[in-house]
Amino acid sequence: MSGDSSVSNTNSMTRLRSNFIRRDLIGIAAIIITALAGYLLFPDNLALLTRLLAIALLVLSLDLVTGYCGVATLGQAALFGSGAYAAGILSAHYGITDPLLMTLGGIVAGVVAGLVCAIVMLRAHGLPQLVLSIALVYLFHEFANKASSWTGGSDGLSGIMLDPLFGVFEFDLFGHTAYFFGVALLLIVFVLLRILVRSPFGMLCRGIKEDPVRVRALGASPHKALVKMYVISGAVAGTGGALSAISTQVVALDSLSFTQSAEALVMLVLGGTGSLFGALVGTLIFMLFEDFVSAANPFHWLTMVGALLIAVVLFAPKGLYGTAEAFLAGRKKHDGETRA
Amino acid sequence: MSAVLEVINLKKSFGGLVVTSDVSLSMATGDRVALIGPNGAGKTTFVNLVTGALRPSSGEVRLRGETVTKVGPTGRVQRGLVRSFQVTRLFQDMTPAEHVGLAVLQRTGNSGRLFGNFLTRTEVMEEVDHLLEKLGLLPLAHRKVREIAYGQQRLLELAIALALKPSVLLLDEPAAGVPQSDTSRIEEALANLPSDLSVLMIEHDMDLVFRFARRVIVLAAGAVIFDGSPSDVTKDARVREAYLGSYAHASHVA
Ligand SMILES: Nc1ncnc2c1ncn2[C@@H]1O[C@H](COP(=O)(O)OP(=O)(O)OP(=O)(O)O)[C@@H](O)[C@H]1O
Ligand SMILES: [Mg+2]
């Protein structure tokens, strides 16, 4: 009897594991195929696509704290912008022009910004926490504005020079190198985050989102875990910021703006919180929609984005990806039942 | 025998309302204590004070001789003081295996690990399976909590608590909300708790109290009005008075 059930348990463990790996592979394949399709279909628009990759990293980083941990923030661009400025300043002021070192600089700056935001924001909960996040992003923005000898202030940071990637691939005018660099960064981050979200720590964070009191009764400190997640989130956002600085060779003040933060949240909600795929789908659809509609109708595109968002929130509250996933899961279950 | 848990002159008031007035108690290894009292007597508040979820107005809590009054709730869990909740607090989208696995990982200091999925770690899963098996939950190990019955969720609360290998266990109405048909499972689980574990159980069901406890403490309006053997509790005049005052549970004791 007990032998039977432990066998069935081992089976379900193996099944769960292969399920995870299958979804990992599907995710990786989906990113590669989408990236290649973008490259082939829009060869003249690689700048937009690379920007999409950078913003996808920002939205993923937001998903870590908001989607997985339940911390609502409207200041996530503070982490992204810190990464962008760090990478840019390394090149423009210190002559560190190796793109990998610049990316590393962006990651470190994102981590530091994440730590600062965590220490301030996690003192509060709910609405006060949200207000603190807004205050923080305004402070970061104002600081960058005032430190204009470093950041170029409202003119933006320019003069970013780049060595060839690995000493071989020049960052060309058409943005081919930057695009593939971005795709590679996104893939690496995606795989690492897939590992993260199903690690014991990822599980703990899901628990914190649902019931911190329960987590405390297990003997784990929600506060410590959230600080840790913020630091990781900072690394991801910083990577995105560095990519944006490297690909455009300028850093503008609005990379650490409230608007950018709010837009990232909109993309996340659009795709679906609490899922890495949701974050990616949300970014893709929002940015393509924005580009397409603003070209087709430059006067009313914001109206249309607003209408899309309202439709999603009202009719697909789990986001586009979340709703599609739930629908497919429901169909699968239904199929299984009718067959059984 | 030296005390595992000592509570000394614990006091708590919410505004003007005194909810815990000068409560002291001491528990030794392997004790089986029932804490009873009318609704609103302050039983849950007492557990919250002992576990550190609430700060007492005054008084002291000691665990194996160490004063932990200033230690936070997580620190007390790490020192072996574990509780369950009157209304289950579980993660609806997680499975029993994940709950118990998380507790095991937390106990062994691995809950912060960034790599590796514990569902594929054999040493963790063996312990998880063992605990779930003991409570009859193994067939449900990989179902989401929202899909399993309330009685089974209460058993899962016990499994989580045991996974933390406590030395003192505070159970807040472990059978509350469970249909009569399922209470026997819970009672069986309670009877099988490790004999070196000190257990304090809050319970309204007097049959359960009499079968489980070797000592009964009665709390009324925040004060201990009785502390003695189960056989004496029904004879005590003050206890009868306290329960008659709140007619809701008079029938159980009378
Ligand atoms: N956070 C709080 N703020 C104010 N009053 C509170 C708070 N928590 C509990 N109380 C009050 O303290 C008293 C004791 O509550 P408690 O939950 O400890 O009772 P209990 O003995 O567990 O009752 P029950 O048997 O119904 O679970 C009640 O009058 C309750 O309203
Ligand atoms: Mg209670």
mmCIF file with all atom_site columns, all heavy atoms in Angstrom, chain A residues 22 100 109 118-119 121 280:
data_model
loop_
_atom_site.group_PDB
_atom_site.id
_atom_site.type_symbol
_atom_site.label_atom_id
_atom_site.label_alt_id
_atom_site.label_comp_id
_atom_site.label_asym_id
_atom_site.label_entity_id
_atom_site.label_seq_id
_atom_site.pdbx_PDB_ins_code
_atom_site.Cartn_x
_atom_site.Cartn_y
_atom_site.Cartn_z
_atom_site.occupancy
_atom_site.B_iso_or_equiv
_atom_site.pdbx_formal_charge
_atom_site.auth_seq_id
_atom_site.auth_comp_id
_atom_site.auth_asym_id
_atom_site.auth_atom_id
_atom_site.pdbx_PDB_model_num
ATOM 1  N N   . ARG A 1 22  ? 9.968  20.876 -20.194 1.00 0.00 ? 22  ARG A N   1
ATOM 2  C CA  . ARG A 1 22  ? 9.298  21.096 -21.474 1.00 0.00 ? 22  ARG A CA  1
ATOM 3  C C   . ARG A 1 22  ? 8.918  22.559 -21.627 1.00 0.00 ? 22  ARG A C   1
ATOM 4  O O   . ARG A 1 22  ? 9.127  23.172 -22.664 1.00 0.00 ? 22  ARG A O   1
ATOM 5  C CB  . ARG A 1 22  ? 8.058  20.199 -21.578 1.00 0.00 ? 22  ARG A CB  1
ATOM 6  C CG  . ARG A 1 22  ? 7.737  19.880 -23.029 1.00 0.00 ? 22  ARG A CG  1
ATOM 7  C CD  . ARG A 1 22  ? 6.467  19.058 -23.147 1.00 0.00 ? 22  ARG A CD  1
ATOM 8  N NE  . ARG A 1 22  ? 5.326  19.764 -22.646 1.00 0.00 ? 22  ARG A NE  1
ATOM 9  C CZ  . ARG A 1 22  ? 4.369  19.190 -21.900 1.00 0.00 ? 22  ARG A CZ  1
ATOM 10 N NH1 . ARG A 1 22  ? 4.434  17.933 -21.587 1.00 0.00 ? 22  ARG A NH1 1
ATOM 11 N NH2 . ARG A 1 22  ? 3.354  19.912 -21.465 1.00 0.00 ? 22  ARG A NH2 1
ATOM 12 N N   . LEU A 1 100 ? 30.572 44.189 -22.431 1.00 0.00 ? 100 LEU A N   1
ATOM 13 C CA  . LEU A 1 100 ? 30.290 43.253 -21.338 1.00 0.00 ? 100 LEU A CA  1
ATOM 14 C C   . LEU A 1 100 ? 30.561 43.895 -19.981 1.00 0.00 ? 100 LEU A C   1
ATOM 15 O O   . LEU A 1 100 ? 29.776 43.745 -19.037 1.00 0.00 ? 100 LEU A O   1
ATOM 16 C CB  . LEU A 1 100 ? 31.126 41.977 -21.499 1.00 0.00 ? 100 LEU A CB  1
ATOM 17 C CG  . LEU A 1 100 ? 30.779 41.146 -22.732 1.00 0.00 ? 100 LEU A CG  1
ATOM 18 C CD1 . LEU A 1 100 ? 31.678 39.913 -22.812 1.00 0.00 ? 100 LEU A CD1 1
ATOM 19 C CD2 . LEU A 1 100 ? 29.315 40.739 -22.730 1.00 0.00 ? 100 LEU A CD2 1
ATOM 20 N N   . ALA A 1 109 ? 24.846 48.613 -10.692 1.00 0.00 ? 109 ALA A N   1
ATOM 21 C CA  . ALA A 1 109 ? 24.062 49.805 -10.347 1.00 0.00 ? 109 ALA A CA  1
ATOM 22 C C   . ALA A 1 109 ? 22.608 49.435 -10.081 1.00 0.00 ? 109 ALA A C   1
ATOM 23 O O   . ALA A 1 109 ? 21.975 49.960 -9.155  1.00 0.00 ? 109 ALA A O   1
ATOM 24 C CB  . ALA A 1 109 ? 24.153 50.829 -11.479 1.00 0.00 ? 109 ALA A CB  1
ATOM 25 N N   . ALA A 1 118 ? 14.421 48.846 -1.864  1.00 0.00 ? 118 ALA A N   1
ATOM 26 C CA  . ALA A 1 118 ? 13.881 47.844 -0.948  1.00 0.00 ? 118 ALA A CA  1
ATOM 27 C C   . ALA A 1 118 ? 13.901 48.371 0.476   1.00 0.00 ? 118 ALA A C   1
ATOM 28 O O   . ALA A 1 118 ? 12.906 48.271 1.205   1.00 0.00 ? 118 ALA A O   1
ATOM 29 C CB  . ALA A 1 118 ? 14.679 46.552 -1.050  1.00 0.00 ? 118 ALA A CB  1
ATOM 30 N N   . ILE A 1 119 ? 15.032 48.964 0.861   1.00 0.00 ? 119 ILE A N   1
ATOM 31 C CA  . ILE A 1 119 ? 15.158 49.410 2.246   1.00 0.00 ? 119 ILE A CA  1
ATOM 32 C C   . ILE A 1 119 ? 14.114 50.480 2.561   1.00 0.00 ? 119 ILE A C   1
ATOM 33 O O   . ILE A 1 119 ? 13.501 50.478 3.626   1.00 0.00 ? 119 ILE A O   1
ATOM 34 C CB  . ILE A 1 119 ? 16.598 49.919 2.511   1.00 0.00 ? 119 ILE A CB  1
ATOM 35 C CG1 . ILE A 1 119 ? 17.548 48.719 2.527   1.00 0.00 ? 119 ILE A CG1 1
ATOM 36 C CG2 . ILE A 1 119 ? 16.679 50.678 3.823   1.00 0.00 ? 119 ILE A CG2 1
ATOM 37 C CD1 . ILE A 1 119 ? 19.010 49.086 2.522   1.00 0.00 ? 119 ILE A CD1 1
ATOM 38 N N   . MET A 1 121 ? 11.178 51.195 0.640   1.00 0.00 ? 121 MET A N   1
ATOM 39 C CA  . MET A 1 121 ? 9.779  50.812 0.374   1.00 0.00 ? 121 MET A CA  1
ATOM 40 C C   . MET A 1 121 ? 9.247  49.756 1.314   1.00 0.00 ? 121 MET A C   1
ATOM 41 O O   . MET A 1 121 ? 8.063  49.744 1.657   1.00 0.00 ? 121 MET A O   1
ATOM 42 C CB  . MET A 1 121 ? 9.660  50.297 -1.057  1.00 0.00 ? 121 MET A CB  1
ATOM 43 C CG  . MET A 1 121 ? 9.633  51.395 -2.081  1.00 0.00 ? 121 MET A CG  1
ATOM 44 S SD  . MET A 1 121 ? 9.602  50.656 -3.704  1.00 0.00 ? 121 MET A SD  1
ATOM 45 C CE  . MET A 1 121 ? 8.090  49.692 -3.587  1.00 0.00 ? 121 MET A CE  1
ATOM 46 N N   . LEU A 1 280 ? 6.702  38.793 -20.819 1.00 0.00 ? 280 LEU A N   1
ATOM 47 C CA  . LEU A 1 280 ? 7.240  38.914 -22.182 1.00 0.00 ? 280 LEU A CA  1
ATOM 48 C C   . LEU A 1 280 ? 6.127  39.221 -23.184 1.00 0.00 ? 280 LEU A C   1
ATOM 49 O O   . LEU A 1 280 ? 6.267  40.106 -24.035 1.00 0.00 ? 280 LEU A O   1
ATOM 50 C CB  . LEU A 1 280 ? 7.968  37.620 -22.573 1.00 0.00 ? 280 LEU A CB  1
ATOM 51 C CG  . LEU A 1 280 ? 9.214  37.295 -21.742 1.00 0.00 ? 280 LEU A CG  1
ATOM 52 C CD1 . LEU A 1 280 ? 9.833  35.990 -22.194 1.00 0.00 ? 280 LEU A CD1 1
ATOM 53 C CD2 . LEU A 1 280 ? 10.221 38.433 -21.838 1.00 0.00 ? 280 LEU A CD2 1
#
